[in-house]
Amino acid sequence: MECPECHSYHIHKNGHRKSKQNYICVKCGRQFITEYQQRGYSDDVKCNCLKMYVNGMGFRAIERITGVSQDFDYGLG
Ligand SMILES: [Zn+2]
């Protein structure tokens, strides 16, 4: 479990929100629920997309093949 903001592992449980476990990052104060981290695509899928991207494939083609939206934030910038 790491903070989605600063990636610190210094996380404390912070009660529940809508029956989901709520956490707070001790380092930056960011609050998040466990489901937050499960949103989006798995690292495997992201890795695959990035491989295609660096091989010169456009995001539109990647979307066709993998189903990953071209609007998805790859963390490239
Ligand atoms: Zn944090």
Side-chain angles (χ1 to χ4, degrees):
M1 177 77 58
E2 68 178 289
C3 171
E5 190 73 28
C6 68
H7 303 288
S8 162
Y9 289 94
H10 203 162
I11 305 296
H12 277 186
K13 286 186 179 180
N14 191 35
H16 290 79
R17 192 183 288 171
K18 289 178 185 169
S19 81
K20 289 167 186 129
Q21 181 65 56
N22 192 34
Y23 293 91
I24 185 165
C25 172
V26 175
K27 203 175 154 195
C28 71
R30 168 72 179 260
Q31 289 187 50
F32 56 97
I33 53 176
T34 39
E35 274 207 346
Y36 181 85
Q37 291 198 319
Q38 288 160 5
R39 256 167 52 184
Y41 303 99
S42 74
D43 283 347
D44 273 1
V45 172
K46 272 190 278 191
C47 193
N48 261 334
C49 292
L50 281 174
K51 254 184 242 166
M52 288 186 242
Y53 177 72
V54 296
N55 280 309
M57 210 176 267
F59 286 122
R60 206 167 291 182
I62 296 172
E63 181 179 15
R64 257 204 320 272
I65 293 165
T66 64
V68 174
S69 165
Q70 56 184 306
D71 296 326
F72 177 65
D73 178 13
Y74 286 85
L76 293 175

Coordinates of all heavy atoms in Angstrom, one line a residue:
M1 N 0.8 -1.2 0.0 CA 0.0 0.0 0.0 C 0.9 1.2 0.0 O 1.7 1.4 0.9 CB -0.9 0.0 1.3 CG -1.7 1.2 1.4 SD -3.2 1.2 0.3 CE -4.0 -0.3 0.9
E2 N 0.7 2.1 -1.0 CA 1.5 3.3 -1.0 C 0.6 4.5 -1.4 O -0.4 4.3 -2.0 CB 2.7 3.2 -2.0 CG 2.3 3.1 -3.4 CD 3.5 3.1 -4.4 OE1 4.2 4.1 -4.5 OE2 3.8 2.0 -5.0
C3 N 1.1 5.6 -1.0 CA 0.3 6.9 -1.3 C 0.3 7.1 -2.8 O 1.3 7.1 -3.4 CB 1.0 8.0 -0.5 SG 0.3 9.6 -1.0
P4 N -0.9 7.4 -3.4 CA -1.0 7.7 -4.8 C -0.3 9.0 -5.2 O -0.1 9.3 -6.3 CB -2.5 7.7 -5.1 CG -3.1 8.0 -3.8 CD -2.2 7.4 -2.7
E5 N -0.1 9.8 -4.1 CA 0.4 11.2 -4.3 C 1.9 11.2 -4.3 O 2.6 11.6 -5.2 CB -0.2 12.1 -3.3 CG 0.1 13.6 -3.5 CD -0.8 14.1 -4.7 OE1 -1.9 13.6 -4.9 OE2 -0.3 15.1 -5.3
C6 N 2.5 10.8 -3.2 CA 3.9 10.9 -3.0 C 4.6 9.5 -2.9 O 5.8 9.5 -2.8 CB 4.2 11.7 -1.7 SG 3.7 10.9 -0.2
H7 N 3.8 8.5 -3.0 CA 4.3 7.1 -3.0 C 5.0 6.7 -1.8 O 5.9 5.8 -1.8 CB 5.2 6.9 -4.3 CG 4.5 7.2 -5.6 ND1 3.6 6.3 -6.1 CD2 4.6 8.2 -6.4 CE1 3.1 6.9 -7.2 NE2 3.7 8.0 -7.4
S8 N 4.7 7.4 -0.7 CA 5.2 7.0 0.6 C 4.4 5.8 1.1 O 3.3 5.6 0.8 CB 5.0 8.2 1.6 OG 5.1 7.7 2.9
Y9 N 5.1 5.0 1.9 CA 4.5 3.8 2.5 C 4.0 4.1 3.9 O 3.6 3.2 4.6 CB 5.5 2.6 2.4 CG 5.7 2.1 1.1 CD1 6.8 2.5 0.3 CD2 4.8 1.1 0.5 CE1 7.0 2.0 -1.0 CE2 5.0 0.7 -0.8 CZ 6.0 1.1 -1.5 OH 6.2 0.6 -2.8
H10 N 4.2 5.3 4.3 CA 3.7 5.7 5.6 C 2.3 6.0 5.6 O 1.9 7.2 5.5 CB 4.6 6.9 6.1 CG 4.6 7.0 7.6 ND1 5.6 7.8 8.2 CD2 3.9 6.5 8.6 CE1 5.4 7.7 9.5 NE2 4.4 6.9 9.8
I11 N 1.4 5.0 5.7 CA 0.0 5.1 5.5 C -0.7 4.7 6.8 O -0.3 3.8 7.4 CB -0.5 4.2 4.4 CG1 0.3 4.5 3.1 CG2 -2.0 4.3 4.2 CD1 0.1 5.8 2.5
H12 N -1.7 5.5 7.2 CA -2.5 5.2 8.3 C -4.0 5.0 7.9 O -4.5 5.7 7.0 CB -2.5 6.2 9.4 CG -1.3 6.2 10.3 ND1 -1.1 7.0 11.4 CD2 -0.2 5.3 10.2 CE1 0.1 6.7 11.9 NE2 0.6 5.7 11.3
K13 N -4.6 4.0 8.5 CA -6.1 3.9 8.3 C -6.8 5.1 8.9 O -6.4 5.6 9.9 CB -6.6 2.6 9.0 CG -6.2 1.3 8.3 CD -6.8 0.1 8.9 CE -6.3 -1.1 8.1 NZ -6.9 -2.4 8.6
N14 N -7.8 5.5 8.2 CA -8.5 6.8 8.6 C -10.0 6.6 8.5 O -10.7 7.3 7.8 CB -8.0 7.9 7.6 CG -8.5 9.3 8.1 OD1 -8.5 9.5 9.3 ND2 -8.8 10.1 7.2
G15 N -10.5 5.5 9.1 CA -11.9 5.3 9.1 C -12.4 4.7 7.8 O -11.7 4.3 7.0
H16 N -13.7 4.8 7.6 CA -14.3 4.2 6.4 C -15.1 5.3 5.7 O -15.7 6.2 6.3 CB -15.3 3.1 6.8 CG -14.5 1.9 7.2 ND1 -14.0 1.7 8.5 CD2 -14.1 0.8 6.5 CE1 -13.4 0.6 8.6 NE2 -13.5 0.0 7.4
R17 N -15.2 5.2 4.4 CA -16.0 6.1 3.6 C -16.8 5.3 2.7 O -16.3 4.5 1.9 CB -15.1 7.0 2.8 CG -15.8 8.2 2.1 CD -14.8 9.0 1.3 NE -13.9 9.8 2.1 CZ -12.9 10.4 1.6 NH1 -12.6 10.3 0.3 NH2 -12.1 11.1 2.3
K18 N -18.2 5.4 2.8 CA -19.1 4.6 2.0 C -18.7 3.1 2.1 O -18.6 2.4 1.1 CB -19.1 5.1 0.6 CG -19.8 6.4 0.4 CD -19.7 6.9 -1.0 CE -20.3 8.3 -1.1 NZ -20.1 8.9 -2.4
S19 N -18.4 2.6 3.3 CA -18.1 1.2 3.6 C -16.8 0.8 3.0 O -16.5 -0.4 2.9 CB -19.3 0.3 3.2 OG -19.2 0.0 1.8
K20 N -16.0 1.7 2.5 CA -14.7 1.3 2.0 C -13.6 1.9 2.9 O -13.8 2.9 3.5 CB -14.4 1.9 0.6 CG -15.3 1.2 -0.5 CD -15.3 2.0 -1.8 CE -16.2 1.3 -2.8 NZ -17.1 2.3 -3.4
Q21 N -12.5 1.1 3.0 CA -11.5 1.6 3.9 C -10.8 2.8 3.4 O -10.4 2.9 2.3 CB -10.4 0.4 4.0 CG -9.3 0.8 5.0 CD -9.7 0.9 6.4 OE1 -10.3 0.0 7.0 NE2 -9.4 2.1 7.0
N22 N -10.8 3.8 4.3 CA -10.2 5.1 4.0 C -8.8 5.2 4.6 O -8.6 4.7 5.7 CB -11.1 6.2 4.5 CG -10.7 7.6 4.0 OD1 -10.3 7.7 2.8 ND2 -10.8 8.6 4.8
Y23 N -7.8 5.7 3.8 CA -6.5 5.8 4.3 C -6.0 7.2 4.2 O -6.5 8.0 3.4 CB -5.5 4.9 3.5 CG -5.8 3.4 3.7 CD1 -6.6 2.8 2.8 CD2 -5.1 2.7 4.6 CE1 -6.8 1.4 3.0 CE2 -5.3 1.4 4.8 CZ -6.2 0.7 4.0 OH -6.4 -0.6 4.1
I24 N -5.0 7.5 5.1 CA -4.4 8.9 5.0 C -2.9 8.7 4.9 O -2.3 7.9 5.6 CB -4.9 9.8 6.1 CG1 -4.3 11.2 5.9 CG2 -4.5 9.2 7.5 CD1 -5.0 12.3 6.8
C25 N -2.3 9.5 4.1 CA -0.8 9.4 4.0 C -0.2 10.4 5.1 O -0.6 11.5 5.1 CB -0.4 9.9 2.6 SG 1.4 10.1 2.5
V26 N 0.6 9.8 5.9 CA 1.2 10.6 7.0 C 2.1 11.7 6.5 O 2.2 12.8 7.0 CB 1.9 9.7 8.0 CG1 2.6 10.5 9.1 CG2 0.9 8.7 8.6
K27 N 2.7 11.4 5.3 CA 3.8 12.3 4.8 C 3.1 13.5 4.2 O 3.5 14.6 4.5 CB 4.6 11.5 3.8 CG 6.0 12.1 3.5 CD 6.8 11.2 2.6 CE 7.8 12.0 1.9 NZ 8.4 11.3 0.7
C28 N 2.2 13.3 3.3 CA 1.6 14.5 2.5 C 0.2 14.8 2.9 O -0.4 15.8 2.4 CB 1.8 14.3 1.0 SG 0.6 13.0 0.4
G29 N -0.5 13.9 3.7 CA -1.8 14.2 4.2 C -2.9 13.8 3.2 O -4.1 14.1 3.4
R30 N -2.5 13.2 2.1 CA -3.5 12.8 1.0 C -4.3 11.7 1.6 O -3.8 10.7 2.1 CB -2.7 12.3 -0.2 CG -3.5 11.6 -1.2 CD -4.4 12.6 -2.0 NE -5.2 11.9 -3.0 CZ -4.9 11.8 -4.3 NH1 -3.8 12.5 -4.7 NH2 -5.6 11.2 -5.1
Q31 N -5.7 11.8 1.4 CA -6.6 10.8 1.8 C -7.0 10.0 0.6 O -7.2 10.6 -0.5 CB -7.8 11.4 2.5 CG -7.4 11.9 3.9 CD -8.7 12.4 4.6 OE1 -9.7 11.6 4.7 NE2 -8.7 13.6 5.2
F32 N -7.2 8.7 0.7 CA -7.6 7.9 -0.4 C -8.2 6.6 0.1 O -8.0 6.2 1.2 CB -6.5 7.6 -1.4 CG -5.3 6.9 -0.7 CD1 -5.2 5.5 -0.8 CD2 -4.3 7.7 0.0 CE1 -4.1 4.9 -0.2 CE2 -3.2 7.0 0.6 CZ -3.1 5.7 0.5
I33 N -9.0 6.0 -0.7 CA -9.6 4.7 -0.4 C -9.0 3.6 -1.2 O -8.4 3.9 -2.2 CB -11.2 4.7 -0.6 CG1 -11.5 5.1 -2.0 CG2 -11.8 5.6 0.4 CD1 -13.0 5.1 -2.3
T34 N -9.1 2.4 -0.7 CA -8.3 1.3 -1.3 C -8.7 1.2 -2.8 O -7.9 0.8 -3.6 CB -8.6 0.0 -0.6 OG1 -10.0 0.0 -0.2 CG2 -7.8 -0.1 0.6
E35 N -10.0 1.4 -3.1 CA -10.4 1.2 -4.5 C -9.7 2.2 -5.4 O -9.6 1.9 -6.6 CB -11.9 1.3 -4.6 CG -12.6 0.0 -4.3 CD -14.0 0.0 -5.0 OE1 -14.4 1.0 -5.5 OE2 -14.5 -1.1 -5.1
Y36 N -9.3 3.3 -4.9 CA -8.7 4.3 -5.8 C -7.5 3.8 -6.5 O -7.3 4.0 -7.7 CB -8.2 5.5 -4.9 CG -7.6 6.6 -5.7 CD1 -8.3 7.6 -6.2 CD2 -6.2 6.6 -5.9 CE1 -7.8 8.6 -6.9 CE2 -5.6 7.6 -6.6 CZ -6.4 8.6 -7.1 OH -5.8 9.6 -7.9
Q37 N -6.7 3.0 -5.9 CA -5.5 2.4 -6.5 C -5.8 1.4 -7.5 O -4.9 1.1 -8.4 CB -4.6 1.8 -5.4 CG -4.0 2.9 -4.5 CD -2.8 2.4 -3.8 OE1 -2.7 1.3 -3.3 NE2 -1.8 3.2 -3.7
Q38 N -7.0 0.8 -7.5 CA -7.3 -0.3 -8.4 C -7.9 0.3 -9.7 O -8.2 -0.5 -10.6 CB -8.2 -1.3 -7.7 CG -7.5 -2.1 -6.7 CD -8.5 -2.7 -5.7 OE1 -9.7 -2.6 -5.8 NE2 -8.0 -3.3 -4.6
R39 N -8.2 1.6 -9.7 CA -8.7 2.2 -10.9 C -7.7 2.2 -12.0 O -6.5 2.2 -11.8 CB -9.2 3.6 -10.6 CG -10.7 3.6 -10.5 CD -11.2 4.9 -9.9 NE -10.6 6.1 -10.6 CZ -10.8 7.3 -10.2 NH1 -11.5 7.6 -9.2 NH2 -10.3 8.3 -10.9
G40 N -8.2 2.3 -13.2 CA -7.3 2.4 -14.3 C -6.8 1.0 -14.8 O -7.4 0.0 -14.6
Y41 N -5.6 1.0 -15.4 CA -5.1 -0.2 -16.0 C -4.0 -0.8 -15.2 O -3.3 -0.1 -14.4 CB -4.6 0.1 -17.4 CG -5.7 0.7 -18.2 CD1 -5.7 2.1 -18.4 CD2 -6.7 -0.1 -18.8 CE1 -6.7 2.7 -19.2 CE2 -7.7 0.5 -19.6 CZ -7.7 1.9 -19.8 OH -8.7 2.4 -20.5
S42 N -3.8 -2.1 -15.3 CA -2.8 -2.8 -14.5 C -1.4 -2.4 -15.1 O -1.3 -1.9 -16.2 CB -2.9 -4.3 -14.7 OG -2.5 -4.7 -15.9
D43 N -0.4 -2.6 -14.3 CA 1.0 -2.3 -14.7 C 1.4 -3.1 -16.0 O 2.1 -2.6 -16.9 CB 2.0 -2.6 -13.6 CG 1.9 -1.5 -12.5 OD1 1.4 -0.5 -12.8 OD2 2.5 -1.8 -11.5
D44 N 0.9 -4.3 -16.1 CA 1.2 -5.1 -17.3 C 0.7 -4.4 -18.5 O 1.4 -4.3 -19.5 CB 0.5 -6.5 -17.1 CG 1.4 -7.4 -16.4 OD1 2.5 -7.0 -16.0 OD2 1.0 -8.6 -16.2
V45 N -0.6 -4.0 -18.5 CA -1.2 -3.4 -19.6 C -0.5 -2.1 -20.0 O -0.2 -1.8 -21.1 CB -2.7 -3.1 -19.3 CG1 -3.3 -2.2 -20.4 CG2 -3.5 -4.4 -19.2
K46 N -0.2 -1.3 -18.9 CA 0.5 0.0 -19.2 C 1.9 -0.3 -19.8 O 2.3 0.4 -20.7 CB 0.7 0.7 -17.8 CG -0.5 1.6 -17.5 CD -0.2 2.5 -16.3 CE -0.4 1.8 -15.0 NZ -0.3 2.7 -13.9
C47 N 2.6 -1.3 -19.3 CA 3.9 -1.6 -19.8 C 3.8 -2.0 -21.3 O 4.6 -1.6 -22.1 CB 4.4 -2.8 -19.0 SG 6.2 -3.1 -19.2
N48 N 2.8 -2.8 -21.6 CA 2.6 -3.2 -23.0 C 2.4 -2.0 -23.9 O 2.9 -1.9 -25.0 CB 1.4 -4.1 -23.1 CG 1.8 -5.6 -23.1 OD1 2.9 -5.9 -23.6 ND2 0.9 -6.4 -22.7
C49 N 1.5 -1.1 -23.4 CA 1.2 0.1 -24.2 C 2.4 1.0 -24.4 O 2.7 1.5 -25.5 CB 0.2 1.0 -23.5 SG -1.5 0.2 -23.4
L50 N 3.2 1.1 -23.4 CA 4.4 1.9 -23.5 C 5.4 1.3 -24.5 O 6.1 2.0 -25.2 CB 5.1 2.0 -22.1 CG 4.5 3.1 -21.2 CD1 5.1 3.0 -19.8 CD2 4.6 4.5 -21.8
K51 N 5.5 0.0 -24.4 CA 6.4 -0.7 -25.4 C 6.0 -0.4 -26.8 O 6.8 -0.2 -27.7 CB 6.3 -2.3 -25.1 CG 7.6 -2.8 -24.5 CD 7.5 -4.3 -24.3 CE 7.5 -4.7 -22.9 NZ 7.1 -6.1 -22.7
M52 N 4.7 -0.5 -27.1 CA 4.1 -0.2 -28.4 C 4.4 1.2 -28.8 O 4.8 1.6 -29.9 CB 2.6 -0.5 -28.5 CG 2.3 -1.9 -28.5 SD 0.5 -2.2 -28.7 CE 0.1 -3.0 -27.2
Y53 N 4.3 2.1 -27.8 CA 4.5 3.5 -28.0 C 5.9 3.8 -28.4 O 6.2 4.5 -29.4 CB 4.1 4.3 -26.7 CG 4.3 5.8 -26.9 CD1 3.5 6.6 -27.7 CD2 5.4 6.4 -26.2 CE1 3.7 8.0 -27.8 CE2 5.6 7.8 -26.3 CZ 4.8 8.5 -27.1 OH 5.0 9.9 -27.3
V54 N 6.9 3.3 -27.6 CA 8.3 3.5 -27.9 C 8.7 2.9 -29.2 O 9.7 3.2 -29.8 CB 9.2 3.1 -26.8 CG1 9.0 3.9 -25.5 CG2 9.1 1.6 -26.5
N55 N 7.9 1.9 -29.7 CA 8.2 1.3 -31.0 C 7.5 2.1 -32.1 O 7.5 1.6 -33.3 CB 7.7 -0.2 -31.0 CG 8.7 -1.1 -30.3 OD1 9.9 -1.0 -30.6 ND2 8.2 -1.8 -29.4
G56 N 7.0 3.2 -31.8 CA 6.5 4.1 -32.9 C 5.1 4.0 -33.2 O 4.6 4.6 -34.1
M57 N 4.3 3.3 -32.3 CA 2.9 3.1 -32.6 C 2.2 4.3 -32.0 O 2.5 4.8 -30.9 CB 2.5 1.8 -31.9 CG 1.3 1.2 -32.7 SD 0.9 -0.4 -31.9 CE 1.8 -1.5 -32.9
G58 N 1.1 4.7 -32.7 CA 0.4 5.9 -32.2 C -0.6 5.4 -31.1 O -1.0 4.2 -31.0
F59 N -1.0 6.4 -30.3 CA -2.0 6.0 -29.2 C -3.3 5.5 -29.8 O -4.0 4.7 -29.1 CB -2.2 7.3 -28.4 CG -1.1 7.6 -27.5 CD1 -0.5 8.9 -27.5 CD2 -0.6 6.7 -26.6 CE1 0.6 9.2 -26.7 CE2 0.5 7.0 -25.7 CZ 1.1 8.2 -25.8
R60 N -3.7 6.0 -31.0 CA -4.9 5.5 -31.5 C -4.8 4.0 -31.9 O -5.8 3.3 -31.6 CB -5.2 6.3 -32.8 CG -6.7 6.4 -33.1 CD -7.0 7.5 -34.1 NE -6.8 8.8 -33.6 CZ -7.0 9.9 -34.3 NH1 -7.4 9.8 -35.6 NH2 -6.8 11.1 -33.8
A61 N -3.7 3.6 -32.4 CA -3.5 2.2 -32.8 C -3.4 1.4 -31.5 O -4.0 0.3 -31.4 CB -2.2 2.0 -33.6
I62 N -2.8 1.9 -30.5 CA -2.7 1.2 -29.2 C -4.1 1.0 -28.6 O -4.4 -0.1 -28.1 CB -1.8 2.0 -28.2 CG1 -0.3 2.0 -28.8 CG2 -1.8 1.3 -26.9 CD1 0.6 2.9 -28.0
E63 N -4.9 2.0 -28.7 CA -6.2 1.9 -28.2 C -7.0 0.8 -28.9 O -7.7 0.0 -28.3 CB -7.0 3.3 -28.3 CG -8.4 3.2 -27.8 CD -9.1 4.6 -27.9 OE1 -8.6 5.4 -28.7 OE2 -10.1 4.7 -27.3
R64 N -6.8 0.7 -30.2 CA -7.5 -0.3 -31.0 C -7.1 -1.7 -30.5 O -7.9 -2.6 -30.4 CB -7.2 -0.1 -32.5 CG -8.3 0.5 -33.3 CD -8.2 0.1 -34.8 NE -6.9 0.1 -35.3 CZ -6.3 1.2 -35.8 NH1 -6.9 2.3 -35.8 NH2 -5.0 1.1 -36.3
I65 N -5.8 -1.9 -30.2 CA -5.3 -3.2 -29.9 C -5.6 -3.6 -28.5 O -6.0 -4.7 -28.2 CB -3.8 -3.2 -30.2 CG1 -3.6 -3.1 -31.7 CG2 -3.2 -4.6 -29.7 CD1 -2.1 -2.8 -32.1
T66 N -5.3 -2.6 -27.6 CA -5.4 -3.0 -26.2 C -6.7 -2.6 -25.5 O -7.0 -3.1 -24.4 CB -4.2 -2.3 -25.4 OG1 -4.4 -0.9 -25.5 CG2 -2.9 -2.7 -26.0
G67 N -7.4 -1.6 -26.1 CA -8.6 -1.1 -25.5 C -8.3 0.0 -24.5 O -9.2 0.5 -23.8
V68 N -7.0 0.4 -24.3 CA -6.6 1.4 -23.4 C -6.9 2.8 -24.1 O -6.4 3.0 -25.2 CB -5.1 1.3 -23.0 CG1 -4.7 2.6 -22.2 CG2 -4.9 0.1 -22.2
S69 N -7.6 3.6 -23.5 CA -8.0 4.9 -24.1 C -6.8 5.7 -24.4 O -5.8 5.8 -23.7 CB -8.9 5.7 -23.2 OG -9.0 7.0 -23.6
Q70 N -6.8 6.4 -25.6 CA -5.7 7.3 -26.0 C -5.7 8.5 -25.1 O -4.7 9.2 -25.1 CB -5.9 7.7 -27.4 CG -7.2 8.3 -27.8 CD -7.2 8.6 -29.3 OE1 -6.4 9.3 -29.9 NE2 -8.3 8.1 -29.9
D71 N -6.7 8.7 -24.3 CA -6.7 9.8 -23.4 C -6.1 9.4 -22.0 O -5.9 10.2 -21.2 CB -8.2 10.3 -23.1 CG -8.8 10.9 -24.3 OD1 -8.1 11.5 -25.1 OD2 -10.0 10.7 -24.5
F72 N -5.8 8.2 -21.9 CA -5.2 7.7 -20.7 C -3.9 8.3 -20.4 O -3.0 8.5 -21.3 CB -5.0 6.1 -20.8 CG -4.4 5.5 -19.6 CD1 -5.0 5.6 -18.3 CD2 -3.1 5.0 -19.6 CE1 -4.4 5.0 -17.2 CE2 -2.5 4.4 -18.5 CZ -3.2 4.5 -17.3
D73 N -3.7 8.7 -19.1 CA -2.4 9.3 -18.7 C -1.4 8.3 -18.5 O -1.4 7.5 -17.6 CB -2.7 10.1 -17.4 CG -1.4 10.7 -16.9 OD1 -0.4 10.8 -17.7 OD2 -1.4 11.1 -15.7
Y74 N -0.4 8.2 -19.4 CA 0.6 7.2 -19.4 C 1.7 7.6 -18.4 O 2.6 6.8 -18.1 CB 1.3 7.0 -20.7 CG 0.4 6.2 -21.7 CD1 -0.6 6.8 -22.5 CD2 0.6 4.8 -21.8 CE1 -1.4 6.1 -23.3 CE2 -0.2 4.1 -22.7 CZ -1.2 4.8 -23.5 OH -1.9 4.1 -24.3
G75 N 1.7 8.8 -17.9 CA 2.7 9.3 -17.0 C 3.9 9.7 -17.8 O 5.0 9.7 -17.2
L76 N 3.7 10.1 -19.0 CA 4.9 10.5 -19.8 C 5.2 11.9 -19.7 O 6.3 12.4 -20.1 CB 4.6 10.1 -21.3 CG 4.5 8.7 -21.7 CD1 4.1 8.5 -23.1 CD2 5.8 8.0 -21.4
G77 N 4.3 12.7 -19.2 CA 4.7 14.1 -19.1 C 3.5 14.8 -18.4 O 3.5 15.9 -18.0
Ligands
ZN1 ZN 1.6 10.9 0.4

